[in-house]
Amino acid sequence: MAVTLQQIAERAGVSRGTVDRALNNRGRIRPEVEARIQEIAKEMGYQPNRAGRAMAMAKKKLKIGVILQSAETPFMRDVLKGTEIAKNEVESLGGTLFIHRIKGMDAGEVIRVMEELREKEFNGIALVPSDDYLLRQTIDQFVDEYNIPIVTFNADLEDTKRICFVGQDTIQSGRVAAGLLGEVIGGQGQVAVLSGNEHNRALKNRLKGFQQEMGVSFPEIEMLETRYTYDDNWVAARIMEDILEGSPEVKGIYMTGYGESGVCECIRKKGKDKKLKVVANDFSEESIEYLKEGLLNFLIGQDAHVQGYEPAMILFRLLFDGMKPEKELQYTDIVIKTKYNI
Amino acid sequence: MAVTLQQIAERAGVSRGTVDRALNNRGRIRPEVEARIQEIAKEMGYQPNRAGRAMAMAKKKLKIGVILQSAETPFMRDVLKGTEIAKNEVESLGGTLFIHRIKGMDAGEVIRVMEELREKEFNGIALVPSDDYLLRQTIDQFVDEYNIPIVTFNADLEDTKRICFVGQDTIQSGRVAAGLLGEVIGGQGQVAVLSGNEHNRALKNRLKGFQQEMGVSFPEIEMLETRYTYDDNWVAARIMEDILEGSPEVKGIYMTGYGESGVCECIRKKGKDKKLKVVANDFSEESIEYLKEGLLNFLIGQDAHVQGYEPAMILFRLLFDGMKPEKELQYTDIVIKTKYNI
DNA sequence: CTGAAAGCGCTTACAG
DNA sequence: CTGAAAGCGCTTACAG
């Protein structure tokens, strides 16, 4: 039978309200009394009852907002499922969780929605940021001025006052790719990297991690010059043709971004499907199909569920239980999928 | 603002108690009234408030027991962490979660603890079974006679009345191993399988999945005769020596069970560490060390956290919310780890 | 078959 | 600085 406030109150010879003040640092209490009560509570192993707290808080209506960008992509749809579960949990405990989906990337819209949520007195916001000066400012303003905690997820904005970030360690993701590709082509020969574009920080990091690890673990592997697909299948296919023409002996391909179907169809057309090993990112239906067919050998992914679920729950635990996030950077697992464990 | 029982009661012109009866099929209610209330609730989008329910149920004290076997192993210690989190959650909602750890495998002790929990009026039990006739009977008896739901985890007992199983799809695990090893040795040459023992069902399944997939995807790979380590490092090392002597060209090793350090140290001694690719199971500190050093190339694991957390929560959701488990077989993710994503 | 009331553990005005 | 009381949404005897 768990210890209750009432039991502590009896033991301390005070009222429930006083115990509450002592245990939750609400002030308006004599320091000696506070200390004594805290000690008794500790001794009795008091653990607050969430249900009781939830009931009492139900009057205040905790409101959490979640803002997704690129909500139309398959990955974000999986993220969204995690968020829906968080929504269920929050709402079954009497809170409100509002989800705003933005198609594509649009920092301006993120800011507009943030303002809207602030007017509606939301208590915390989780968002997928983009690298935008005004958005950085807005995040800092929300945290400092309005006292509304912000959590970033999927992508981070370093050097802002967001309380934490949930997402992939993109450098490590590149390293994992290098390890797999290096092993599977036997530690020698040529590999080509097709990156999505030059400016996206996550893709740059993947590239960096990949290059670093290749240098360290597979010094005999020759890396061709990095090419950019702009996440476009047509462009990716042309680049792939070009690579196969100029370097017919290439043994491995690493794609940091999109364009898988362009690459895979080109490989199929040229009949290189058995010889070329390809490592790509993220689990879309399409890329999973190529994985099953064997045109892609490995997919490296992020735990979409955690990315959707945790940011909202971190805010909930903070606002509801006063529990601070453990770490500023909460990296999700780097998941390796083959055709056998999808 | 979420809909409450009170609001439905007002709309229907009845009392809260009546709404409760209608929505939770408690009987003692006129069918027409019941139907009408259910309709109104649906229309208003009623979702029960967990906190309210938890508070009201607090009087009844829901008690859930979790029985672990082989609790001393590193894997089970990770499982236990998941169970501890479930314990926290259950207890913060006013329930009780009792954990019993058994060292090694002991079906008799499992049964004794089950009886004890029954006497103490526990409402549900999650357990790691072993293949034992009496245990099978006891599980069926608990479910049928005593009406105490049982969940198996880590290992399953098929054809019993346990409401569900949480754990690895062991055949699939073997397939994943085959896919990795086949790829990494380039689809040809010899591979050897070192299994833990002949009788453990999980290990047998891994072997089966491995052999099947090798046959289908890598017909050019030659499989040496399966050897048994009895999960013993010394035996494993001797077998490994023997294999290297008899088949010096062997390119890959798959271990279904324990004995990694025996195998790895033998490989190191013989200087084969760069040439031989090794796939093993489960994440112990030791095996992770070998992975980092490159003596093991891949570890295939089970999601220990889910295995510890879900069984207890499945029972809690069943007993507390009346929510039945979705599937009878809840397979955990098959996790692939390399030195880069541990 | 139905309603009124108590109570689960907590927080929060309010009164002192 | 402290206490008494109301109320959050639900379930459950109890009375009718």
Side-chain angles (χ1 to χ4, degrees):
Chain A
M1 179 68 181
V3 182
T4 68
L5 280 192
Q6 182 61 54
Q7 290 169 24
I8 298 173
E10 280 161 20
R11 189 91 97 85
V14 296
S15 76
R16 249 152 75 213
T18 304
V19 176
D20 178 62
R21 266 167 236 141
L23 265 31
N24 297 294
N25 308 305
R26 298 192 209 282
R28 300 184 306 137
I29 184 167
R30 197 141 43 93
E32 310 90 88
V33 179
E34 179 164 22
R36 199 165 65 86
I37 293 177
Q38 282 172 352
E39 191 156 335
I40 293 177
K42 198 168 185 179
E43 204 181 297
M44 297 175 75
Y46 174 71
Q47 286 288 107
N49 180 311
R50 266 193 138 212
R53 174 170 284 167
M55 296 268 39
M57 304 267 282
K59 294 174 222 177
K60 290 213 309 195
K61 297 299 292 168
L62 207 64
K63 282 182 284 191
I64 294 173
V66 177
I67 306 173
L68 283 100
Q69 297 198 76
S70 300
E72 79 284 3
T73 63
F75 180 73
M76 279 302 173
R77 274 202 285 269
D78 285 342
V79 169
L80 208 54
K81 282 182 204 158
T83 311
E84 296 284 358
I85 290 178
K87 181 178 163 84
N88 249 315
E89 197 165 327
V90 167
E91 306 212 324
S92 79
L93 251 33
T96 302
L97 180 60
F98 172 78
I99 303 173
H100 183 90
R101 300 163 183 73
I102 296 174
K103 202 175 150 184
M105 300 298 276
D106 184 344
E109 186 167 347
V110 174
I111 294 172
R112 281 195 298 281
V113 175
M114 286 172 77
E115 288 297 343
E116 203 178 299
L117 294 179
R118 177 174 67 82
E119 276 163 31
K120 289 183 181 156
E121 305 194 302
F122 270 63
N123 309 87
I125 299 174
L127 56 87
V128 177
S130 27
D131 197 348
D132 177 276
Y133 178 69
L134 195 54
L135 181 55
R136 280 178 187 275
Q137 277 200 320
T138 311
I139 289 175
D140 286 350
Q141 186 188 34
F142 268 57
V143 176
D144 281 344
E145 251 174 73
Y146 307 142
N147 217 359
I148 299 176
I150 305 285
V151 172
T152 54
F153 65 102
N154 191 249
D156 194 15
L157 278 185
E158 288 147 40
D159 307 318
T160 61
K161 306 207 165 148
R162 47 113 183 92
I163 59 165
C164 73
F165 160 70
V166 180
Q168 192 177 45
D169 180 342
T170 42
I171 292 187
Q172 196 60 23
S173 162
R175 289 210 183 94
V176 172
L180 291 170
L181 198 54
E183 280 286 0
V184 87
I185 67 172
Q188 40 195 321
Q190 297 176 321
V191 303
V193 181
L194 274 62
S195 193
N197 71 63
E198 287 178 80
H199 305 295
N200 179 304
R201 175 183 302 236
L203 303 190
K204 270 197 293 192
N205 280 339
R206 283 181 186 159
L207 184 56
K208 189 168 142 192
F210 184 83
Q211 290 170 329
Q212 277 181 358
E213 193 59 43
M214 274 294 175
V216 172
S217 295
F218 304 99
E220 293 177 33
I221 288 180
E222 180 195 344
M223 290 180 53
L224 303 175
E225 201 190 342
T226 303
R227 306 288 294 266
Y228 295 92
T229 66
Y230 306 100
D231 294 325
D232 182 291
N233 281 316
W234 189 87
V235 175
R238 294 298 81 72
I239 292 176
M240 198 58 227
E241 281 175 2
D242 201 45
I243 291 174
L244 286 174
E245 198 155 314
S247 312
E249 291 307 310
V250 66
K251 291 167 78 181
I253 305 288
Y254 172 46
M255 304 187 62
T256 68
Y258 300 125
E260 296 93 332
S261 87
V263 167
C264 289
E265 291 305 337
C266 174
I267 291 175
R268 197 204 307 270
K269 218 171 61 190
K270 302 278 180 186
K272 295 276 190 182
D273 44 318
K274 289 297 164 210
K275 289 161 216 147
L276 250 180
K277 305 298 176 185
V278 185
V279 176
N281 279 280
D282 287 352
F283 316 128
S284 64
E285 272 178 47
E286 198 183 67
S287 59
I288 285 174
E289 231 10 85
Y290 287 116
L291 193 67
K292 282 186 186 159
E293 288 184 57
L295 281 156
L296 293 178
N297 299 275
F298 292 99
L299 281 176
I300 297 175
Q302 326 186 34
D303 191 329
H305 180 270
V306 169
Q307 264 186 46
Y309 179 81
E310 272 302 312
M313 294 312 290
I314 284 170
L315 286 169
F316 187 70
R317 288 192 285 263
L318 174 69
L319 296 164
F320 183 82
D321 299 307
M323 197 186 295
K324 297 237 170 64
E326 287 175 24
K327 289 172 296 188
E328 189 185 322
L329 298 176
Q330 310 226 6
Y331 290 130
T332 51
D333 276 351
I334 294 175
V335 181
I336 299 174
K337 293 286 178 190
T338 68
K339 65 193 282 193
Y340 309 100
N341 73 332
I342 42 157
Chain B
M1 180 69 182
V3 182
T4 68
L5 280 192
Q6 182 61 54
Q7 290 169 23
I8 297 173
E10 280 162 20
R11 190 93 96 84
V14 297
S15 76
R16 248 151 78 213
T18 304
V19 176
D20 178 61
R21 266 165 236 142
L23 264 31
N24 296 294
N25 309 305
R26 298 193 208 282
R28 299 184 306 137
I29 184 167
R30 194 141 44 92
E32 310 90 86
V33 178
E34 179 163 22
R36 199 164 66 87
I37 292 177
Q38 282 172 352
E39 190 156 336
I40 293 177
K42 196 167 186 181
E43 203 181 298
M44 296 175 78
Y46 174 70
Q47 288 288 107
N49 180 311
R50 270 195 133 207
R53 174 170 286 166
M55 296 268 40
M57 304 267 283
K59 294 173 224 179
K60 291 212 306 193
K61 296 300 292 170
L62 207 64
K63 282 182 284 191
I64 294 173
V66 177
I67 306 172
L68 283 100
Q69 297 197 76
S70 300
E72 78 284 2
T73 63
F75 180 72
M76 278 302 174
R77 274 203 285 271
D78 284 342
V79 169
L80 208 54
K81 282 181 205 158
T83 311
E84 296 285 356
I85 291 179
K87 180 178 165 83
N88 248 315
E89 197 165 327
V90 166
E91 306 211 324
S92 79
L93 252 33
T96 302
L97 181 60
F98 172 77
I99 303 173
H100 183 90
R101 300 162 183 73
I102 297 174
K103 202 176 150 182
M105 299 298 277
D106 185 344
E109 186 168 347
V110 174
I111 294 171
R112 282 195 298 281
V113 176
M114 287 172 77
E115 289 296 344
E116 202 178 298
L117 294 179
R118 178 174 67 84
E119 275 162 33
K120 290 184 180 156
E121 303 195 301
F122 271 64
N123 310 88
I125 299 174
L127 56 87
V128 177
S130 28
D131 198 347
D132 177 274
Y133 178 69
L134 194 54
L135 180 55
R136 281 177 187 276
Q137 277 199 321
T138 311
I139 289 174
D140 287 350
Q141 185 188 34
F142 268 57
V143 176
D144 280 345
E145 249 174 74
Y146 307 141
N147 216 0
I148 298 177
I150 305 284
V151 172
T152 55
F153 66 102
N154 191 250
D156 194 16
L157 278 184
E158 288 147 41
D159 307 318
T160 61
K161 305 207 166 149
R162 48 114 181 90
I163 59 165
C164 74
F165 161 69
V166 179
Q168 192 178 46
D169 180 342
T170 42
I171 292 187
Q172 195 61 23
S173 163
R175 288 210 183 96
V176 172
L180 290 170
L181 198 55
E183 280 286 359
V184 88
I185 66 172
Q188 41 196 318
Q190 295 176 322
V191 302
V193 180
L194 273 63
S195 194
N197 71 63
E198 288 180 79
H199 305 294
N200 178 304
R201 176 183 302 235
L203 303 190
K204 270 197 294 192
N205 279 339
R206 283 181 186 158
L207 184 57
K208 189 167 144 193
F210 184 83
Q211 289 170 330
Q212 277 182 357
E213 194 59 44
M214 274 293 177
V216 171
S217 295
F218 303 99
E220 293 176 34
I221 289 180
E222 180 195 346
M223 290 179 55
L224 303 175
E225 202 188 342
T226 303
R227 306 288 293 266
Y228 295 93
T229 66
Y230 305 99
D231 294 324
D232 183 290
N233 281 315
W234 189 87
V235 175
R238 295 298 81 73
I239 291 176
M240 198 59 227
E241 281 173 3
D242 200 46
I243 290 175
L244 286 174
E245 197 157 313
S247 312
E249 291 306 312
V250 65
K251 291 167 76 181
I253 304 289
Y254 172 46
M255 303 187 61
T256 68
Y258 300 126
E260 295 93 332
S261 86
V263 166
C264 289
E265 292 303 337
C266 174
I267 291 176
R268 198 203 306 270
K269 217 171 60 189
K270 302 278 182 188
K272 295 276 191 183
D273 44 317
K274 288 297 166 212
K275 289 162 214 147
L276 249 180
K277 305 298 175 184
V278 185
V279 176
N281 277 279
D282 288 352
F283 315 128
S284 64
E285 272 178 46
E286 198 184 66
S287 60
I288 285 175
E289 232 11 84
Y290 287 117
L291 193 66
K292 282 185 185 160
E293 289 185 57
L295 282 155
L296 292 177
N297 299 276
F298 293 98
L299 281 176
I300 297 174
Q302 327 185 32
D303 191 330
H305 179 270
V306 169
Q307 265 187 45
Y309 179 81
E310 272 301 313
M313 294 311 291
I314 284 169
L315 286 169
F316 186 69
R317 288 191 286 264
L318 174 69
L319 296 164
F320 182 82
D321 299 308
M323 198 187 293
K324 298 237 170 63
E326 286 175 23
K327 289 173 294 189
E328 188 185 324
L329 298 176
Q330 309 226 7
Y331 290 130
T332 50
D333 276 351
I334 294 174
V335 181
I336 300 175
K337 293 285 178 191
T338 68
K339 65 194 280 194
Y340 309 100
N341 73 330
I342 39 155

